[in-house]
């Protein structure tokens, strides 16, 4: 019942947002709202980390986690905080590119305003990346890289940026490294070194993820036809774990495996259809778009959805309402951008025919 209620909530959010977005300008406004919310979360996370005594929001004491050792923001799990920031990274990147490409209006005041906007967005981008790295989430670092590469690669392919923009983004990366050198460099590098090693033993030292993944694979093999039921993971995995542990796996540490375990073949097919639809919308939004603003928006939503799909392989980000809400907003934006691109193509063909 709880899973059904959550599904209906996300479905209604998707339908309402996709209907409310009437133009590319509306999509731009939504993406900038996402970017602002992510910047606000990053600021909150850094302030909480710097000033808190271990309690969330400076007053809530959670018995199994605290805010002393990594930046977590309003999330119990640092991986989910990092994922939330990554979903807003692409909107920030395209906002920065759009600000740099905007033609300055006549007048000294207008030029100064544009420069201030560029500096503000660049500073916000540095802040978000800095906060994401301070989570020391390896999955978050991979997602950060995926989102950045998808955004810049799509814009480079559509000739909206060139080497100068890439150098500029690289210089922002140098600023982030400089901030890390002041605080947090050793702890961040030690975590990222595990990724560079490429060893499963280094990445999963306590064997936790591999253990729960193996249990889920056994559960899928036993009930792949219909699954065990949405929301049942925490109740059925002990039967396949093979050993007793002192802690509970509330989720499968992989969105794909958990959906397959709980919902079986119908869930797998629905997930595959959802991913295929998002891929189709993103391809149309990127490659059929003819104007600069549509291409920028298409790059942002494509990169964000790609990051979500990648991070879900090694974490249960699809079961965190804040993360799913942003992903749903990006998916609704992808749908509307593809529809708007299709309408423009149809109109152009009609004019040619006339």
């Amino acid at each position: 019942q709880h899973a059904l209620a959550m599904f209906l909530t996300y479905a209604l959010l998707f339908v309402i947002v996709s209907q409310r977005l009437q133009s590319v300008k509306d999509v731009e406004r939504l993406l900038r709202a996402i970017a602002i919310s992510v910047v606000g979360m990053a600021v909150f996370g850094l302030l909480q980390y710097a000033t808190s005594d271990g309690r969330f929001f400076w007053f809530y004491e959670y018995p199994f986690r605290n805010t002393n050792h990594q930046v977590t923001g309003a999330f119990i799990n640092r991986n989910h905080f990092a994922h939330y920031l990554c979903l807003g990274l692409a909107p920030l990147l395209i906002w920065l590119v759009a600000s740099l490409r905007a033609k300055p209006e006549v007048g000294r005041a207008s030029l100064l305003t544009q420069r201030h906007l560029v500096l503000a967005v660049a500073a916000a981008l540095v802040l978000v990346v800095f906060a994401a790295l301070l989570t020391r989430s390896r999955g978050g670092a991979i997602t950060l890289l995926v989102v950045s590469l998808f955004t810049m690669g799509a814009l480079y392919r559509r000739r909206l940026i060139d080497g100068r923009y890439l150098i500029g983004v690289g210089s922002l990366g140098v600023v982030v490294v400089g901030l890390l050198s002041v605080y947090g460099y050793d702890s961040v590098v030690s975590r990222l070194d595990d990724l560079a090693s490429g060893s499963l033993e280094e990445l999963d030292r306590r064997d936790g993820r591999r253990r729960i993944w193996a249990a889920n694979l056994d559960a899928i093999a036993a009930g792949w036809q219909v699954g065990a039921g949405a929301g049942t993971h925490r109740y059925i995995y002990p039967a396949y774990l093979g050993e007793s542990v002192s802690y509970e796996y509330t989720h499968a540490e992989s969105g794909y495996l958990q959906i397959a375990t709980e919902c079986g073949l119908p869930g797998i097919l629905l997930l595959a259809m959802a991913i295929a639809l998002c891929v189709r919308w993103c391809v149309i939004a990127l490659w059929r778009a003819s104007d600069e603003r549509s291409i920028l928006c298409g790059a942002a939503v494509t990169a964000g959805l790609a990051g979500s799909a990648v991070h879900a392989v090694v974490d249960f980000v699809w079961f965190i309402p804040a993360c799913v809400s942003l992903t749903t907003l990006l998916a609704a934006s992808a749908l509307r951008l593809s529809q708007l691109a299709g309408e423009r193509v149809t109109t152009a063909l009609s004019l040619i025919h006339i």
Side-chain angles (χ1 to χ4, degrees), residues 327-340:
T327 304
T328 303
L329 294 179
L330 293 176
S333 299
L335 169 61
R336 286 300 293 135
L337 287 172
S338 68
Q339 291 173 336
L340 292 170

Side-chain angles (χ1 to χ4, degrees), residues 66-77:
N66 60 62
T67 62
N68 291 329
H69 304 295
Q70 58 270 327
V71 181
T72 60
F75 296 80
I76 296 297
N77 191 311

Side-chain angles (χ1 to χ4, degrees), residues 93-114:
L93 277 170
I94 64 117
W95 195 351
L96 178 61
V97 172
S99 301
L100 289 170
R101 290 182 60 86
K103 295 180 179 180
E105 299 179 3
V106 178
R108 180 180 176 85
S110 299
L111 183 60
L112 287 175
T113 300
Q114 182 180 353

Side-chain angles (χ1 to χ4, degrees), residues 309-321:
V310 169
H311 202 177
V313 174
V314 294
D315 213 318
F316 53 98
V317 293
W318 288 342
F319 294 84
I320 306 303

Side-chain angles (χ1 to χ4, degrees), residues 176-207:
V176 173
V177 173
L179 290 174
L180 286 175
S181 66
V182 175
Y183 186 83
Y185 181 82
D186 292 335
S187 61
V188 171
V189 170
S190 64
R191 290 283 293 180
L192 297 183
D193 280 344
D194 296 341
L195 288 175
S197 69
S199 170
L200 285 176
E201 285 70 24
E202 291 292 327
L203 293 172
D204 191 23
R205 294 179 181 178
R206 297 182 180 178
D207 201 28

Side-chain angles (χ1 to χ4, degrees), residues 41 44-45 48-49 52 54-84 134-137 209 248 250-251 253 315-317 319-323:
M41 182 62 73
F44 168 74
Q48 179 178 252
Y49 180 64
S52 177
R55 296 177 295 179
F56 291 87
F57 296 93
W58 296 279
F59 70 87
Y60 179 69
E61 187 172 354
Y62 186 67
F64 307 111
R65 300 283 175 89
N66 60 62
T67 62
N68 291 329
H69 304 295
Q70 58 270 327
V71 181
T72 60
F75 296 80
I76 296 297
N77 191 311
R78 61 184 176 185
N79 299 317
H80 303 152
F81 174 67
H83 185 76
Y84 187 87
L134 278 185
T135 63
R136 295 186 293 163
S137 168
R209 274 185 167 81
E248 181 184 42
T250 58
H251 297 82
E253 301 295 342
D315 213 318
F316 53 98
V317 293
F319 294 84
I320 306 303
C323 296

